[in-house]
Amino acid sequence: MTAPSVDPEPPSDAPSHFIRDIIDEDLQQGTHDGRVVTRFPPEPNGYLHIGHAKSIVLNFGLAEDYAARGAETTCRLRFDDTNPAGESEEYARAIEEAVEWLGYTPDEVRHASDYFESFYDYAVTLVKKGLAYVDSQTEEEIRENRGTVTEPGIPSPYRDRSPAENLRLLERMKAGAFDEGAHVLRAKIDMASEHMIMRDPLLYRIRHATHYRRGDEWCIYPMYDFAHCLEDAIEDVTHSLCTLEFDNNRRIYDWILEHALPAEELPGRPHQYEFNRLNLTYTVLSKRKLLQLVEDATVDGWDDPRLFTLAGLRRRGVPPGAIRQFCRAVGVTRSPGRIQISRFEHAVRDFLNDKAPRVMAVLEPLRVVIENFEDATGLNAGEADWLEASYWPRDITGREGTRDVPFTEELFIERDDFREDPPEGFYRLAPGREVRLRHGYFLTCTGVEKDEAGNVTALRAEIDPDTRSGQAPDGRNPDGTIHWVSASESDPLEARLYDRLFTVEAPGDTDEDFRKHLNPDALVTREAARIEPSVARTLREEPQRPDQKEGSAMGRATRLGVQRFQFERTGYFWPDPEDHTPEAPVFNQIVPLRDSWAEDDSGLTAEELAARRREKERQRRRQRERATAGQRDPVEDFGPGQRKRFEHLRDERGLDRDDAAVLAERLPLADFFDAALDVHDAPQAVANWTINELLRELEDAAPAASLDALPFEAAAFGRLVKLADEGTVSSAAAQKVFSEMLAEGTPPEQIVEKRGLHRLEDTKALRDAARKVAEEHPEEAARYREGETKLLGFFMGQIMQATDGTADAQEARAALRDVLAE
RNA sequence: UGCUCCGUAGCUCAAUCGGCAGAGCACUGGUUUCUGGUACCAGGGGCUGAAGGUUCGAAUCCUUCCGGAGCAGCCA
């Protein structure tokens, strides 16, 4: 069977990463017949957070992208519900809803609990093969006998029970004949393994518990390591993606599949790949910490907008598309790290910028009385001058629409937009100063009213009647533009502003209680805010979406979900799905706008950046000292045989101590080295090849065995080194010869003949090659002539490629210099 | 301390087969602007964790060291 042809080019917005590379490779090799099958496998025992979103976006996104390229793809939602404790239908439903909200429809929803019968059959297979046994030690005994990371474990006294006895016991375990903890089923692998996970891992334990889907049908439940790989195999998953902490578990994943699956299924079996989980600064994402915050009512439930749970983000108003965009942007790698929260905020703003209509709301109102209102507008004091205001700034293309905003004698402006004594660089309102009212007149502050305590209670002002359009006939242009609402014709509003939950970057990282660093200002409520009247109208007229789910909080949120606004100059907002009513509007701030005036920015200041750089420099210096101090004499750990060999290599063969140590540490390699020397008596050259080229091809754990497995003898290796050392072939060509020897076992001389790899010293031929290369890369050649001499390396690379690595380096370099100088 | 994984700009990631160390975000400045928003332009930032080695040439290969994370649940 041949794999269906798959478009080699990924979609342009799909970032490339190592998992894609693996899939591309598999597609090319036809490993899974052109299929890409992934899954998102949550346990239904908690709510999802943004870290899960990364996994969802990865798994479903891969399926989408490869489907678009012509591969046969599937991505399922699979509940990993193998442990009855804590799992529930409620969680499962919430998870399903969250996945859907994020914008993905699983090809299928499956449950690991539907596979319990199959798991059991696989367990029986292992028992019959003598690869699993029933252990009757107590929990403590098992733990103690497992050993530690440095000491091997002690085999269980029950380890050698016969398959027949194990089978009998396993059947009775399943039948419910035993109490919890009386027996467990364990894989029989290696109690001394340096991988703790392989010290006879548990496969089944007894739990007399009611499972939310299977009820009391089962009283033995499979462990993760046993079940997960089999779930993948049952579902024909091709690429099983999980987070880095399962790296160690991959060993048992592979072991179970290789021993439980029938041989014919092995070539297409699933493989596990691990990627870095998403961590964010200034917040916590672990299930346990989240639970703690909810339980001691630090936050107001799982959907508290301060939390990075999916429910919290949803209630806060973050659109799913922004989360998807963010998850794609953070990348998929194997290096753990912590993403700066400003990255997330940027993603949300970026997503909302061209989607949220602009309106005006004043969060902390300060009353302004227009003293010349009647004169300037020609209206009576109680009337409103309705100004047409665009929903979109001119640079958001493709969006249209305006609404009318009432301009009345008394207005509210943002308290923050007025300073009686303006600091340097402040270009909003101050006594005697003129600003532009957004979508309206120019306004000059003519007076300040204060209470007895000296607090500003109201401003008096005048407008310029000629500036109704927002332009002045004389062309003057105020520095500041501020937003405003009518005092009489605006709606009251409660605005909830959210900030990072913690005051430190990594709240969970130290030993102390992470709740010590809670940010008291993570939620700030502005209860006296006011908003222009058009918004209430917009919300009322908004048609209901047909796909909403009635009844649930999320369903109500969906209905309102199409209404996210930018409150000009303050941020993106939407009505709170729980508490907002038309009579008493409540809006959540989704994310503030960037504010280069505000001191408190979510990004880093220049000083902070510099401080970090200095700190990193210090760390590097300290590390350098420690690295050199830690260097110790390798010979110290040698046994007498190795020591003798070391001295021989160093004193008789004349190797330097590092090389001698590497060889002496691996005695079979030293033997190979000696044998090669019989052919070509140049110890340093042979040592270089042995250590730098040969060693890389050998298994660390079993050098002797992999030496035996080589398709050539030490003598052939020695002859290769001789060819290189004596200049018959260049060292680059010698490397090519070597890799062909590894693959085919052909004698080196034959390869050189067949491929024509003799060293090329012919000056004329090299000059021709150099000229050709220079012609093919005129831009680089010009840059070289302008003094970018480091490009010589680039040209050398080209020549080497053109001559199959045979060019003599010195001659080639000289030829290039000459040709390029012309 | 055994094993596994990971160290490239402040952060997240690139860098075909060993061949010119780059991008986005963040930062600084400028242009545009009826949002201190957006967009656009420019700039600063790197001893590729360190030291040795192989090579004409190393972020990439070899050795050693340093640092960080994970693994000793009948959780997943």
Side-chain angles (χ1 to χ4, degrees):
Chain A
M1 191 195 260
T2 57
S5 76
V6 174
D7 195 349
E9 282 303 305
S12 55
D13 71 323
S16 117
H17 49 69
F18 76 100
I19 291 177
R20 279 175 189 280
D21 293 344
I22 290 166
I23 296 177
D24 288 344
E25 177 75 15
D26 285 340
L27 248 20
Q28 214 181 0
Q29 303 281 320
T31 316
H32 301 284
D33 303 327
R35 288 176 307 121
V36 179
V37 183
T38 54
R39 96 271 96 108
F40 173 61
E43 185 186 15
N45 70 346
Y47 291 98
L48 262 31
H49 55 69
I50 192 156
H52 296 106
K54 173 169 173 176
S55 174
I56 293 170
V57 170
L58 211 213
N59 279 291
F60 284 92
L62 247 18
E64 280 181 359
D65 295 345
Y66 279 94
R69 288 168 58 184
E72 186 190 322
T73 72
T74 305
C75 183
R76 298 190 182 87
L77 169 61
R78 177 178 75 223
F79 290 107
D80 205 3
D81 50 0
T82 55
N83 180 0
E87 296 174 358
S88 75
E89 188 61 40
E90 185 200 333
Y91 283 125
R93 253 220 303 281
I95 289 171
E96 228 176 305
E97 217 175 277
V99 170
E100 200 176 309
W101 174 73
L102 257 186
Y104 296 104
T105 308
D107 288 306
E108 225 178 329
V109 178
R110 298 263 192 120
H111 297 263
S113 53
D114 287 338
Y115 307 153
F116 281 172
E117 285 76 8
S118 304
F119 296 154
Y120 184 78
D121 291 344
Y122 284 118
V124 168
T125 304
L126 288 179
V127 168
K128 283 183 178 162
K129 282 186 173 176
L131 294 173
Y133 62 98
V134 173
D135 194 356
S136 308
Q137 294 182 99
T138 65
E139 200 174 333
E140 294 75 53
E141 285 168 336
I142 290 178
R143 192 165 41 241
E144 275 170 30
N145 289 340
R146 187 150 25 221
T148 67
V149 289
T150 46
E151 299 158 37
I154 299 162
S156 164
Y158 305 97
R159 197 169 195 260
D160 292 316
R161 290 215 255 233
S162 71
E165 190 186 356
N166 283 321
L167 212 50
R168 224 166 24 244
L169 282 166
L170 179 60
E171 276 164 11
R172 294 183 62 206
M173 280 168 67
K174 183 191 175 210
F178 303 117
D179 290 338
E180 289 187 10
H183 307 281
V184 291
L185 186 72
R186 298 179 76 175
K188 193 170 176 177
I189 306 180
D190 179 6
M191 285 306 290
S193 172
E194 45 206 12
H195 303 109
M196 294 299 292
I197 197 100
M198 298 300 263
R199 318 251 256 229
D200 288 10
L202 272 62
L203 268 28
Y204 266 106
R205 76 287 216 194
I206 299 171
R207 283 280 174 278
H208 291 286
T210 305
H211 187 276
Y212 77 104
R213 294 186 77 244
R214 301 302 301 262
D216 296 323
E217 277 181 79
W218 288 83
C219 59
I220 55 172
Y221 290 93
M223 299 289 293
Y224 168 86
D225 282 319
F226 180 59
H228 202 92
C229 52
L230 292 172
E231 293 161 27
D232 287 339
I234 289 167
E235 295 176 359
D236 265 333
V237 167
T238 56
H239 300 85
S240 178
L241 312 180
C242 61
T243 44
L244 248 23
E245 65 271 26
F246 290 95
D247 185 301
N248 287 297
N249 302 58
R250 191 180 58 247
R251 270 152 204 91
I252 180 68
Y253 185 103
D254 290 339
W255 189 93
I256 298 275
L257 289 186
E258 272 165 21
H259 293 92
L261 250 36
E264 64 272 18
E265 287 182 26
L266 254 24
R269 76 168 175 89
H271 285 270
Q272 172 182 307
Y273 303 99
E274 310 86 30
F275 63 91
N276 58 341
R277 72 158 61 232
L278 173 59
N279 287 310
L280 284 173
T281 55
Y282 299 106
T283 190
V284 291
L285 287 181
S286 88
K287 243 178 216 180
R288 194 180 57 81
K289 294 197 177 93
L290 251 14
L291 186 67
Q292 246 177 78
L293 292 173
V294 172
E295 280 187 341
D296 43 72
T298 308
V299 297
D300 191 18
W302 285 98
D303 65 345
D304 188 299
R306 287 169 289 184
L307 260 23
F308 276 77
T309 54
L310 257 24
L313 292 170
R314 182 175 188 170
R315 178 162 180 189
R316 180 155 162 186
V318 177
I323 296 176
R324 273 183 267 134
Q325 206 163 290
F326 172 69
C327 287
R328 280 178 181 259
V330 293
V332 177
T333 68
R334 288 185 62 88
S335 45
R338 196 175 288 271
I339 308 281
Q340 291 173 355
I341 199 89
S342 53
R343 281 285 293 281
F344 174 79
E345 294 175 353
H346 175 266
V348 178
R349 283 187 205 112
D350 191 48
F351 185 86
L352 252 15
N353 180 39
D354 59 357
K355 297 178 186 67
R358 272 56 167 179
V359 296
M360 291 193 287
V362 172
L363 270 22
E364 273 191 287
L366 173 62
R367 183 177 298 270
V368 180
V369 182
I370 317 282
E371 299 195 297
N372 63 341
F373 180 81
E374 293 180 54
D375 286 348
T377 61
L379 299 167
N380 294 324
E383 291 181 308
D385 182 6
W386 290 85
L387 301 170
E388 188 181 52
S390 169
Y391 276 124
W392 306 98
R394 83 209 168 289
D395 48 11
I396 306 288
T397 52
R399 297 280 190 177
E400 283 171 16
T402 63
R403 79 287 185 192
D404 289 333
V405 187
F407 182 82
T408 53
E409 185 173 28
E410 292 195 7
L411 307 177
F412 289 126
I413 65 165
E414 207 70 66
R415 185 164 283 274
D416 221 32
D417 284 341
F418 173 79
R419 295 287 173 83
E420 196 172 12
D421 189 15
E424 177 103 11
F426 182 88
Y427 48 83
R428 282 113 91 155
L429 200 60
R433 275 218 208 158
E434 182 177 62
V435 294
R436 190 199 321 263
L437 294 177
R438 180 75 165 145
H439 303 299
Y441 297 89
F442 290 7
L443 173 132
T444 306
C445 176
T446 53
V448 182
E449 288 171 19
K450 296 185 191 173
D451 62 14
E452 284 138 26
N455 300 312
V456 176
T457 53
L459 301 180
R460 286 190 306 279
E462 285 183 4
I463 54 172
D464 177 347
D466 295 331
T467 56
R468 186 171 186 273
S469 65
Q471 308 290 337
D474 60 8
R476 71 182 194 280
N477 199 12
D479 284 336
T481 299
I482 64 174
H483 59 281
W484 54 277
V485 296
S486 157
S488 52
E489 307 238 5
S490 58
D491 298 324
L493 175 76
E494 178 181 325
R496 295 175 182 169
L497 313 180
Y498 302 102
D499 197 356
R500 49 182 76 150
L501 227 200
F502 294 91
T503 53
V504 293
E505 282 206 328
D509 267 17
T510 50
D511 292 336
E512 50 179 351
D513 188 350
F514 67 101
R515 285 166 297 187
K516 265 192 187 156
H517 303 290
L518 279 163
N519 175 11
D521 295 326
L523 168 62
V524 172
T525 307
R526 303 271 183 235
E527 287 168 18
R530 311 283 300 193
I531 187 164
E532 63 171 273
S534 74
V535 172
R537 277 202 312 278
T538 307
L539 290 176
R540 272 199 307 276
E541 288 163 7
E542 188 56 39
Q544 298 193 353
R545 283 174 46 174
D547 59 354
Q548 66 187 273
K549 289 203 173 110
E550 279 302 337
S552 70
M554 289 211 170
R556 293 208 296 284
T558 307
R559 189 188 325 153
L560 297 167
V562 288
Q563 281 313 335
R564 294 180 176 87
F565 298 92
Q566 187 195 106
F567 291 180
E568 296 218 26
R569 306 210 304 133
T570 59
Y572 294 97
F573 286 80
W574 90 329
D576 183 86
E578 293 291 331
D579 299 338
H580 172 87
T581 64
E583 297 72 38
V586 179
F587 275 67
N588 294 330
Q589 185 181 56
I590 303 165
V591 63
L593 253 35
R594 256 187 70 161
D595 184 354
S596 51
W597 170 254
E599 285 173 17
D600 172 58
D601 205 343
S602 50
L604 265 57
T605 65
E607 296 89 82
E608 277 170 325
L609 268 176
R612 271 191 189 218
R613 208 166 287 145
R614 278 194 303 273
E615 174 57 26
K616 195 165 175 172
E617 185 55 37
R618 262 198 300 280
Q619 269 176 19
R620 209 165 273 193
R621 215 171 22 238
R622 213 164 32 231
Q623 214 191 311
R624 181 182 336 219
E625 282 159 19
R626 268 194 294 229
T628 32
Q631 301 278 356
R632 57 167 206 283
D633 195 342
V635 186
E636 275 173 28
D637 302 331
F638 281 176
Q642 288 175 316
R643 186 176 294 265
K644 203 169 151 228
R645 192 61 168 270
F646 169 77
E647 282 162 6
H648 175 257
L649 288 164
R650 186 188 53 187
D651 302 335
E652 308 299 319
R653 304 293 196 197
L655 297 183
D656 72 48
R657 58 174 302 119
D658 283 351
D659 290 348
V662 171
L663 292 175
E665 202 185 335
R666 302 162 180 81
L667 290 174
L669 192 65
D671 292 341
F672 191 94
F673 166 77
D674 279 343
L677 272 192
D678 290 344
V679 179
H680 181 58
D681 189 22
Q684 192 59 58
V686 177
N688 286 345
W689 271 85
T690 308
I691 291 167
N692 291 303
E693 305 299 330
L694 182 61
L695 187 55
R696 127 173 44 147
E697 307 298 332
L698 307 181
E699 300 267 347
D700 281 355
S706 38
L707 275 172
D708 287 344
L710 287 175
F712 54 81
E713 301 286 307
F717 185 72
R719 296 204 309 276
L720 167 67
V721 177
K722 189 173 182 184
L723 287 174
D725 200 27
E726 290 178 347
T728 314
V729 298
S730 73
S731 69
Q735 279 182 39
K736 278 181 202 278
V737 173
F738 180 59
S739 62
E740 201 162 326
M741 283 170 70
L742 280 168
E744 313 285 342
T746 324
E749 299 82 1
Q750 231 177 67
I751 300 171
V752 173
E753 282 311 319
K754 194 179 71 197
R755 305 259 317 259
L757 291 176
H758 288 281
R759 191 158 61 111
L760 180 64
E761 303 178 83
D762 180 358
T763 314
K764 184 166 176 310
L766 283 172
R767 273 177 168 267
D768 289 346
R771 209 162 275 132
K772 192 154 167 257
V773 164
E775 272 166 24
E776 277 165 5
H777 301 277
E779 201 180 305
E780 282 81 4
R783 274 163 56 203
Y784 176 86
R785 285 189 202 101
E786 271 160 40
E788 238 181 285
T789 46
K790 68 181 174 183
L791 280 172
L792 197 65
F794 165 76
F795 285 110
M796 279 295 285
Q798 298 296 318
I799 283 225
M800 284 301 180
Q801 230 165 53
T803 59
D804 215 9
T806 57
D808 178 89
Q810 273 191 6
E811 292 290 331
R813 189 173 290 269
L816 267 174
R817 278 217 180 86
D818 289 353
V819 168
L820 284 169
E822 286 166 11

